[in-house]
């Protein structure tokens, strides 16, 4: 009985946030869809500006749960500019929370609405979200030989032509670093050794294709590249071995006390243009990430573990930036569900929005 109560209390930590975030999705899609129709006769710039503001509202609500609700300490190292820029964001990839980390940095630059992702192709089938991410400027890509360079270039050129503010998030490893799947890590290290590249311990060998296409296509539009290294505290077991990074569920259950984020802002002039040389440059950047993570997880001096070297700032997100969005979207959704016609519209949005979205992404990338 007591165990059941404990498990129930634990599960409620994430059930409520998940219910609110997913529950407000139809409301958000309806608001966005209405604006999409109204803006059809307006210049693309007007549509994009409002779309970015709508996205800011939704993602601010998400950050209310991932930061204010969990109470996680966000510790930032390096040189994160205060002002918004057009950037490509390159990060190591361990778990789905990595997507939220990009939001955490962007909101501190007042650039949350500008966040767009390069995502693996299978995610486009997510109900409502998959379609919308594409509409918001996200790019779906396939791995290895199936990678469609022309398709990605065309989408990014369209974004540049429309002068879309860009905070493009790329995870060059192509998949998550998972200590519980040693074969993926071993294969990555074997590939690096075969190619004459440094073998990496805490990150996978990065793939250059998406990064090269993005930088090459937008090089005259970008201000910089952000090289971001993320480490989640509490991901080492009693034997000192690295554990799996927290899932979104675990993060919302407050299992991660602190997240450490190291940012290195890189000028475009310091990045090679040729893909062959950029590949070497990208691997060198991941060597730097690996050294930072070795220091974080494996430093012989225990006082140097669980932190990156250098000065850091404990950055707390104000409720003023997140709570209004939660109240706004939550209020709209609640008011819709209070009436029978509203409930029918809500359910139809989930059903038909998902079907239309799947049809759309199957026809148009």
């Amino acid at each position: 009985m007591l165990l059941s109560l404990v498990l129930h209390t634990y599960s409620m930590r994430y059930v409520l946030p998940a219910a609110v975030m997913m529950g407000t999705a139809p409301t958000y899609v309806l608001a966005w869809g209405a604006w999409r129709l109204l803006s059809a006769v307006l210049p693309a710039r007007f549509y994009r500006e409002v779309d970015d503001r709508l996205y800011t509202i939704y993602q601010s609500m998400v950050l209310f749960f991932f930061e204010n609700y969990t109470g996680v300490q966000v510790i930032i190292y390096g040189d994160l500019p205060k002002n918004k820029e057009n950037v490509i964001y390159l990060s190591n990839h361990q778990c789905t929370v990595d997507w939220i980390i990009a939001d955490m940095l962007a909101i501190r630059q007042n650039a949350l609405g500008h966040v767009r992702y390069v995502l693996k192709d299978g995610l486009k089938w997510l109900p409502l979200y998959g379609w919308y991410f594409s509409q918001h400027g996200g790019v779906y890509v396939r791995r290895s030989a199936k990678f469609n360079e022309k398709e990605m270039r065309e989408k990014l050129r369209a974004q540049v032509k429309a002068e879309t503010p860009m905070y493009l998030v790329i995870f060059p490893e192509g998949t998550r670093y998972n200590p519980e799947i040693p074969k993926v890590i071993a294969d990555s290290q074997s590939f690096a050794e075969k190619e004459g590249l440094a073998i990496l311990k805490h990150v996978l060998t990065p793939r250059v294709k998406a990064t090269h296409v993005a930088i090459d296509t937008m090089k005259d539009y970008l201000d910089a590249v952000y090289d971001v290294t993320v480490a989640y505290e509490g991901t080492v077991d009693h034997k000192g071995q690295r554990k799996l990074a927290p899932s979104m569920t675990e993060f919302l259950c407050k299992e991660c006390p602190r997240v450490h984020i190291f940012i290195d802002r890189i000028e475009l002039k310091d990045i090679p243009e040729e893909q062959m040389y950029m590949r070497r440059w990208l691997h060198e950047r991941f060597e730097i990430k690996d050294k930072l993570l070795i220091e974080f997880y494996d430093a012989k001096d225990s006082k140097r573990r669980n932190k990156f070297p250098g000065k850091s700032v404990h950055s707390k997100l104000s409720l003023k930036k997140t709570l209004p969005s939660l109240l706004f979207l939550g209020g709209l959704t609640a008011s819709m569900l209070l009436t029978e016609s509203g409930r029918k519209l809500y359910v139809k949005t989930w059903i038909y929005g998902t079907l239309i979205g799947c049809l759309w992404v199957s026809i148009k990338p």
Side-chain angles (χ1 to χ4, degrees):
M1 180 71 177
L2 180 60
L3 179 59
S4 298
L5 180 62
V6 171
L7 291 174
H8 178 70
T9 303
Y10 177 84
S11 66
M12 285 303 294
R13 286 183 173 184
Y14 71 86
V15 168
L16 176 62
V20 174
M21 287 186 285
M22 294 186 67
T24 54
T27 311
Y28 179 81
V29 169
L30 279 171
W32 168 78
W35 170 242
R36 185 65 164 157
L37 291 173
L38 288 171
S39 64
V41 295
L42 299 175
R45 177 172 57 87
F46 290 103
Y47 161 72
R48 190 62 68 193
E49 285 179 1
V50 175
D51 175 53
D52 285 355
R53 289 181 183 276
L54 289 171
Y55 188 76
T56 298
I57 292 172
Y58 186 83
Q59 292 303 116
S60 295
M61 180 196 67
V62 170
L63 287 176
F64 169 83
F65 290 110
F66 278 91
E67 282 207 58
N68 303 117
Y69 170 80
T70 63
V72 66
Q73 292 184 37
V74 177
I75 305 172
I76 298 177
Y77 307 73
D79 47 2
L80 179 68
K82 293 182 180 179
N83 299 320
K84 61 185 74 174
E85 301 182 284
N86 288 319
V87 300
I88 289 175
Y89 170 115
L90 303 176
S91 176
N92 58 314
H93 194 21
Q94 309 156 74
C95 59
T96 50
V97 182
D98 294 335
W99 297 1
I100 308 299
I101 301 299
D103 289 342
M104 290 179 178
L105 294 182
I107 197 171
R108 286 163 169 82
Q109 296 179 273
N110 294 315
L112 185 55
H114 303 169
V115 174
R116 312 174 208 283
Y117 298 96
V118 174
L119 300 163
K120 63 181 180 182
D121 192 65
L123 292 173
K124 69 185 182 183
W125 304 110
L126 284 172
L128 298 186
Y129 294 96
W131 177 37
Y132 176 72
F133 281 148
S134 175
Q135 294 295 300
H136 184 64
V139 182
Y140 290 107
V141 296
R142 296 182 180 180
R143 298 172 183 167
S144 305
K146 295 182 179 179
F147 178 78
N148 192 325
E149 178 178 330
K150 180 182 177 183
E151 195 174 273
M152 183 175 179
R153 281 189 185 275
E154 287 177 352
K155 183 147 193 178
L156 292 177
R157 284 190 186 118
Q159 302 285 0
V160 171
K161 186 178 180 181
E163 299 182 355
T164 303
M166 189 58 64
Y167 203 104
L168 187 66
V169 179
I170 302 177
F171 301 110
E173 290 160 286
T175 192
R176 301 173 206 164
Y177 179 98
N178 186 344
E180 296 180 0
I181 310 179
K183 185 179 184 304
V184 173
I185 299 172
D187 288 347
S188 174
Q189 293 173 338
S190 296
F191 176 78
E193 184 177 23
K194 179 182 176 182
E195 296 295 313
L197 301 168
I199 296 175
L200 307 172
K201 180 180 180 181
H202 286 294
V203 291
L204 302 177
T205 303
R207 307 175 187 210
V208 74
K209 286 183 180 179
T211 302
H212 176 258
V213 169
I215 294 176
D216 186 57
T217 304
M218 301 191 295
K219 59 189 174 185
D220 296 325
Y221 187 66
L222 297 171
D223 296 305
V225 168
Y226 292 173
D227 183 7
V228 179
T229 306
V230 179
Y232 299 94
E233 204 166 314
T235 51
V236 175
D237 63 21
H238 66 282
K239 295 180 181 179
Q241 298 298 311
R242 187 173 170 187
K243 298 189 300 182
L244 188 64
S247 65
M248 285 189 177
T249 298
E250 291 165 339
F251 200 92
L252 289 169
C253 286
K254 308 181 182 183
E255 292 191 12
C256 179
R258 283 170 289 277
V259 58
H260 299 255
I261 312 169
F262 193 103
I263 305 104
D264 193 358
R265 183 184 184 278
I266 303 169
E267 297 282 349
L268 270 294
K269 62 181 177 62
D270 296 326
I271 302 174
E273 293 188 11
E274 294 291 331
Q275 181 170 321
M276 179 177 64
Y277 297 113
M278 189 181 291
R279 178 191 183 204
R280 176 72 62 174
W281 169 84
L282 184 61
H283 196 85
E284 289 171 355
R285 295 308 309 180
F286 270 72
E287 286 182 59
I288 294 171
K289 290 180 185 297
D290 202 43
K291 289 176 182 177
L292 287 170
L293 292 168
I294 288 172
E295 180 80 4
F296 187 92
Y297 292 114
D298 306 328
K300 292 182 180 179
D301 184 352
S302 59
K303 294 180 181 179
R304 290 166 55 189
R305 288 183 211 141
N306 290 320
K307 61 181 180 181
F308 290 131
K311 294 182 180 180
S312 63
V313 175
H314 289 245
S315 180
K316 188 173 181 178
L317 184 61
S318 171
L319 277 170
K320 293 179 182 179
K321 288 195 171 185
T322 59
L323 186 57
S325 296
L326 170 65
L327 296 176
F328 177 71
L329 282 174
L332 280 180
T333 303
S335 63
M336 182 184 298
L337 295 175
L338 286 174
T339 66
E340 184 178 353
S341 59
R343 289 191 290 272
K344 288 181 178 179
L345 178 60
Y346 181 88
V347 172
K348 287 180 179 178
T349 302
W350 264 118
I351 297 172
Y352 295 118
T354 298
L355 292 175
I356 292 171
C358 288
L359 179 63
W360 182 273
V361 296
S362 66
I363 296 172
K364 189 172 181 178

